Amino acid sequence: THFGFQKVAESEKASKVRGVFSSVASSYDVMNDLMSFGLHRLWKAFTVQIAGVRAGDRVLDVAGGTADLSLAFAKKVGPSGQVWLTDINHAMLSRGRDRVVDKGFLLPVAQCDAEKLPFPDNHFDCVTVAFGLRNMTHKDQAIAEMRRVLKPGGRLLVLEFSKVWKPLAPAYDFYSFKLLPMMGEKVARDADSYRYLAESIRMHPDQESLKTLMEEAGLSRVEYFNMTAGVVALHRGYKL
Ligand code: SAM
């Protein structure tokens, strides 16, 4: 049946995503720097700046992976605040937890699905998800969950690949469909995962569609900031 087919496709996506991140976990940080020419550091720094997080705040990093954002937020909230590092994938989360400890921080860590967050309602001042939403099967449900755990007045930040400025599209396509898998093969011996990366970016909602998704999930004052000609966009919305 149609529903049967949908169920198979959904569970296939979830298991593909699991396979991809288990496979890339060990080379993830090196590849991030290489593939983005180090730009992901600037995109994340801007995210932290826009978040308006203060000392003592509670922050949830969803799909936090190797903990770049969690670490940056831990410095902002200080000892009176709290940052949770969470991810669905054990291999990514272990690397994240090790990095947190290596940098001298002690953060709570939880392995969980963004679509079913194990946190109470109205709990966090800020929820962030960086390069994670496009991997989620039910984006609307994940956004609704992230909104649920926000306190009234809290904000959700979504950093994600987006739709690039049209004149640059041919060069970007060549880069991501041809060069990226080649780099994945050379450096990480894993062309397939990097092919998945390029495909998942193309399938992800563009700037306006994601803004609408966030509004439909009940977030207010939603706006977005394009970075690097729309290669990446940062969306911000409030729970009011
Ligand atoms: N946030 C990190 C960063 O910006 O470097 C990691 C991003 S990595 C590209 C995507 C992460 O999303 C992976 O660690 C993956 O395990 C996680 N992920 C995928 N589906 C998820 C889900 N349903 N719930 C939570 N995390 C998920």
Side-chain angles (χ1 to χ4, degrees), residues 66-90:
T66 56
D68 277 351
L69 277 186
S70 293
L71 280 164
F73 280 118
K75 289 172 198 156
K76 286 259 167 204
V77 302
S80 58
Q82 191 177 51
V83 180
W84 275 87
L85 168 63
T86 67
D87 199 286
I88 200 170
N89 187 287
H90 185 259

mmCIF file of all heavy atoms in Angstrom, residues 66-90:
data_model
loop_
_atom_site.group_PDB
_atom_site.id
_atom_site.type_symbol
_atom_site.label_atom_id
_atom_site.label_comp_id
_atom_site.label_asym_id
_atom_site.label_seq_id
_atom_site.Cartn_x
_atom_site.Cartn_y
_atom_site.Cartn_z
ATOM 1 N N THR A 66 29.964 16.284 16.947
ATOM 2 C CA THR A 66 31.267 16.387 17.601
ATOM 3 C C THR A 66 31.399 17.651 18.467
ATOM 4 O O THR A 66 32.501 18.043 18.828
ATOM 5 C CB THR A 66 32.410 16.300 16.574
ATOM 6 O OG1 THR A 66 32.193 17.316 15.601
ATOM 7 C CG2 THR A 66 32.429 14.948 15.885
ATOM 8 N N ALA A 67 30.273 18.280 18.771
ATOM 9 C CA ALA A 67 30.164 19.261 19.864
ATOM 10 C C ALA A 67 30.724 20.665 19.607
ATOM 11 O O ALA A 67 30.937 21.409 20.565
ATOM 12 C CB ALA A 67 30.782 18.695 21.155
ATOM 13 N N ASP A 68 30.912 21.057 18.350
ATOM 14 C CA ASP A 68 31.400 22.423 18.082
ATOM 15 C C ASP A 68 30.519 23.474 18.762
ATOM 16 O O ASP A 68 31.015 24.356 19.473
ATOM 17 C CB ASP A 68 31.390 22.713 16.573
ATOM 18 C CG ASP A 68 32.629 22.170 15.869
ATOM 19 O OD1 ASP A 68 33.558 21.735 16.568
ATOM 20 O OD2 ASP A 68 32.645 22.177 14.622
ATOM 21 N N LEU A 69 29.206 23.393 18.522
ATOM 22 C CA LEU A 69 28.309 24.414 19.083
ATOM 23 C C LEU A 69 28.187 24.278 20.591
ATOM 24 O O LEU A 69 28.181 25.263 21.317
ATOM 25 C CB LEU A 69 26.915 24.318 18.448
ATOM 26 C CG LEU A 69 26.714 25.000 17.105
ATOM 27 C CD1 LEU A 69 25.247 24.934 16.695
ATOM 28 C CD2 LEU A 69 27.158 26.456 17.121
ATOM 29 N N SER A 70 28.102 23.021 21.075
ATOM 30 C CA SER A 70 27.975 22.819 22.531
ATOM 31 C C SER A 70 29.135 23.489 23.257
ATOM 32 O O SER A 70 28.937 24.152 24.281
ATOM 33 C CB SER A 70 27.996 21.326 22.871
ATOM 34 O OG SER A 70 26.854 20.698 22.380
ATOM 35 N N LEU A 71 30.339 23.320 22.719
ATOM 36 C CA LEU A 71 31.519 23.903 23.371
ATOM 37 C C LEU A 71 31.464 25.424 23.351
ATOM 38 O O LEU A 71 31.764 26.078 24.353
ATOM 39 C CB LEU A 71 32.790 23.400 22.676
ATOM 40 C CG LEU A 71 33.228 21.998 23.091
ATOM 41 C CD1 LEU A 71 34.237 21.421 22.107
ATOM 42 C CD2 LEU A 71 33.817 22.011 24.503
ATOM 43 N N ALA A 72 31.061 25.979 22.207
ATOM 44 C CA ALA A 72 30.989 27.441 22.112
ATOM 45 C C ALA A 72 29.942 27.979 23.092
ATOM 46 O O ALA A 72 30.157 28.992 23.760
ATOM 47 C CB ALA A 72 30.652 27.851 20.689
ATOM 48 N N PHE A 73 28.807 27.286 23.208
ATOM 49 C CA PHE A 73 27.764 27.742 24.132
ATOM 50 C C PHE A 73 28.178 27.542 25.590
ATOM 51 O O PHE A 73 27.808 28.333 26.450
ATOM 52 C CB PHE A 73 26.433 27.043 23.840
ATOM 53 C CG PHE A 73 25.699 27.653 22.680
ATOM 54 C CD1 PHE A 73 25.437 26.914 21.538
ATOM 55 C CD2 PHE A 73 25.278 28.972 22.718
ATOM 56 C CE1 PHE A 73 24.777 27.479 20.459
ATOM 57 C CE2 PHE A 73 24.616 29.557 21.647
ATOM 58 C CZ PHE A 73 24.370 28.801 20.512
ATOM 59 N N ALA A 74 28.934 26.479 25.854
ATOM 60 C CA ALA A 74 29.377 26.231 27.239
ATOM 61 C C ALA A 74 30.197 27.421 27.740
ATOM 62 O O ALA A 74 30.094 27.820 28.904
ATOM 63 C CB ALA A 74 30.188 24.945 27.299
ATOM 64 N N LYS A 75 31.009 28.001 26.833
ATOM 65 C CA LYS A 75 31.809 29.174 27.234
ATOM 66 C C LYS A 75 30.887 30.351 27.538
ATOM 67 O O LYS A 75 31.143 31.149 28.420
ATOM 68 C CB LYS A 75 32.787 29.550 26.114
ATOM 69 C CG LYS A 75 33.912 28.533 25.982
ATOM 70 C CD LYS A 75 34.788 28.784 24.767
ATOM 71 C CE LYS A 75 35.589 27.519 24.460
ATOM 72 N NZ LYS A 75 36.014 27.428 23.069
ATOM 73 N N LYS A 76 29.788 30.482 26.799
ATOM 74 C CA LYS A 76 28.854 31.614 26.978
ATOM 75 C C LYS A 76 28.058 31.498 28.275
ATOM 76 O O LYS A 76 27.846 32.491 28.965
ATOM 77 C CB LYS A 76 27.841 31.657 25.822
ATOM 78 C CG LYS A 76 28.417 32.142 24.527
ATOM 79 C CD LYS A 76 28.042 33.591 24.305
ATOM 80 C CE LYS A 76 28.875 34.178 23.165
ATOM 81 N NZ LYS A 76 29.017 35.590 23.212
ATOM 82 N N VAL A 77 27.545 30.295 28.567
ATOM 83 C CA VAL A 77 26.620 30.183 29.711
ATOM 84 C C VAL A 77 27.360 30.124 31.048
ATOM 85 O O VAL A 77 26.774 30.402 32.093
ATOM 86 C CB VAL A 77 25.661 28.965 29.589
ATOM 87 C CG1 VAL A 77 24.857 29.056 28.294
ATOM 88 C CG2 VAL A 77 26.387 27.642 29.686
ATOM 89 N N GLY A 78 28.645 29.719 30.993
ATOM 90 C CA GLY A 78 29.440 29.692 32.232
ATOM 91 C C GLY A 78 28.975 28.616 33.201
ATOM 92 O O GLY A 78 28.065 27.832 32.893
ATOM 93 N N PRO A 79 29.566 28.591 34.394
ATOM 94 C CA PRO A 79 29.278 27.506 35.343
ATOM 95 C C PRO A 79 27.853 27.535 35.894
ATOM 96 O O PRO A 79 27.333 26.509 36.336
ATOM 97 C CB PRO A 79 30.301 27.747 36.469
ATOM 98 C CG PRO A 79 30.922 29.064 36.221
ATOM 99 C CD PRO A 79 30.623 29.499 34.825
ATOM 100 N N SER A 80 27.192 28.690 35.839
ATOM 101 C CA SER A 80 25.813 28.738 36.364
ATOM 102 C C SER A 80 24.793 28.277 35.317
ATOM 103 O O SER A 80 23.616 28.084 35.631
ATOM 104 C CB SER A 80 25.481 30.159 36.812
ATOM 105 O OG SER A 80 25.647 31.035 35.718
ATOM 106 N N GLY A 81 25.229 28.106 34.066
ATOM 107 C CA GLY A 81 24.308 27.652 33.018
ATOM 108 C C GLY A 81 24.484 26.177 32.724
ATOM 109 O O GLY A 81 25.188 25.463 33.447
ATOM 110 N N GLN A 82 23.788 25.718 31.670
ATOM 111 C CA GLN A 82 23.884 24.303 31.321
ATOM 112 C C GLN A 82 23.726 24.132 29.809
ATOM 113 O O GLN A 82 22.858 24.761 29.207
ATOM 114 C CB GLN A 82 22.772 23.536 32.038
ATOM 115 C CG GLN A 82 22.942 22.040 31.962
ATOM 116 C CD GLN A 82 21.869 21.320 32.753
ATOM 117 O OE1 GLN A 82 20.694 21.585 32.586
ATOM 118 N NE2 GLN A 82 22.282 20.409 33.616
ATOM 119 N N VAL A 83 24.576 23.284 29.219
ATOM 120 C CA VAL A 83 24.441 22.951 27.790
ATOM 121 C C VAL A 83 24.357 21.441 27.662
ATOM 122 O O VAL A 83 25.247 20.723 28.126
ATOM 123 C CB VAL A 83 25.661 23.453 26.970
ATOM 124 C CG1 VAL A 83 25.500 23.086 25.502
ATOM 125 C CG2 VAL A 83 25.840 24.959 27.116
ATOM 126 N N TRP A 84 23.280 20.972 27.026
ATOM 127 C CA TRP A 84 23.128 19.537 26.759
ATOM 128 C C TRP A 84 23.629 19.238 25.354
ATOM 129 O O TRP A 84 23.175 19.850 24.391
ATOM 130 C CB TRP A 84 21.652 19.142 26.832
ATOM 131 C CG TRP A 84 21.173 18.838 28.209
ATOM 132 C CD1 TRP A 84 20.691 19.724 29.129
ATOM 133 C CD2 TRP A 84 21.109 17.547 28.826
ATOM 134 N NE1 TRP A 84 20.336 19.067 30.279
ATOM 135 C CE2 TRP A 84 20.569 17.731 30.113
ATOM 136 C CE3 TRP A 84 21.450 16.248 28.408
ATOM 137 C CZ2 TRP A 84 20.370 16.666 30.998
ATOM 138 C CZ3 TRP A 84 21.248 15.199 29.275
ATOM 139 C CH2 TRP A 84 20.717 15.410 30.557
ATOM 140 N N LEU A 85 24.541 18.264 25.250
ATOM 141 C CA LEU A 85 24.977 17.759 23.943
ATOM 142 C C LEU A 85 24.158 16.508 23.636
ATOM 143 O O LEU A 85 24.198 15.539 24.412
ATOM 144 C CB LEU A 85 26.470 17.409 23.996
ATOM 145 C CG LEU A 85 27.021 16.599 22.806
ATOM 146 C CD1 LEU A 85 26.901 17.373 21.495
ATOM 147 C CD2 LEU A 85 28.479 16.212 23.045
ATOM 148 N N THR A 86 23.401 16.525 22.519
ATOM 149 C CA THR A 86 22.582 15.348 22.181
ATOM 150 C C THR A 86 22.765 14.984 20.714
ATOM 151 O O THR A 86 23.061 15.840 19.875
ATOM 152 C CB THR A 86 21.076 15.611 22.431
ATOM 153 O OG1 THR A 86 20.621 16.598 21.508
ATOM 154 C CG2 THR A 86 20.819 16.081 23.848
ATOM 155 N N ASP A 87 22.581 13.728 20.407
ATOM 156 C CA ASP A 87 22.644 13.244 19.022
ATOM 157 C C ASP A 87 22.029 11.847 18.997
ATOM 158 O O ASP A 87 22.037 11.143 20.008
ATOM 159 C CB ASP A 87 24.102 13.180 18.531
ATOM 160 C CG ASP A 87 24.211 13.144 17.012
ATOM 161 O OD1 ASP A 87 23.923 12.087 16.414
ATOM 162 O OD2 ASP A 87 24.578 14.184 16.416
ATOM 163 N N ILE A 88 21.549 11.440 17.833
ATOM 164 C CA ILE A 88 20.944 10.107 17.732
ATOM 165 C C ILE A 88 22.022 9.030 17.537
ATOM 166 O O ILE A 88 21.786 7.853 17.801
ATOM 167 C CB ILE A 88 19.924 10.073 16.556
ATOM 168 C CG1 ILE A 88 18.935 8.926 16.712
ATOM 169 C CG2 ILE A 88 20.634 10.008 15.209
ATOM 170 C CD1 ILE A 88 17.769 8.979 15.735
ATOM 171 N N ASN A 89 23.215 9.472 17.101
ATOM 172 C CA ASN A 89 24.230 8.505 16.684
ATOM 173 C C ASN A 89 25.329 8.324 17.732
ATOM 174 O O ASN A 89 25.984 9.292 18.133
ATOM 175 C CB ASN A 89 24.829 8.994 15.355
ATOM 176 C CG ASN A 89 25.775 7.997 14.748
ATOM 177 O OD1 ASN A 89 26.880 7.824 15.244
ATOM 178 N ND2 ASN A 89 25.343 7.339 13.698
ATOM 179 N N HIS A 90 25.535 7.090 18.135
ATOM 180 C CA HIS A 90 26.480 6.809 19.216
ATOM 181 C C HIS A 90 27.912 7.175 18.845
ATOM 182 O O HIS A 90 28.656 7.762 19.650
ATOM 183 C CB HIS A 90 26.387 5.335 19.615
ATOM 184 C CG HIS A 90 27.237 5.005 20.783
ATOM 185 N ND1 HIS A 90 28.454 4.395 20.663
ATOM 186 C CD2 HIS A 90 27.066 5.242 22.099
ATOM 187 C CE1 HIS A 90 28.993 4.267 21.867
ATOM 188 N NE2 HIS A 90 28.170 4.765 22.753
#
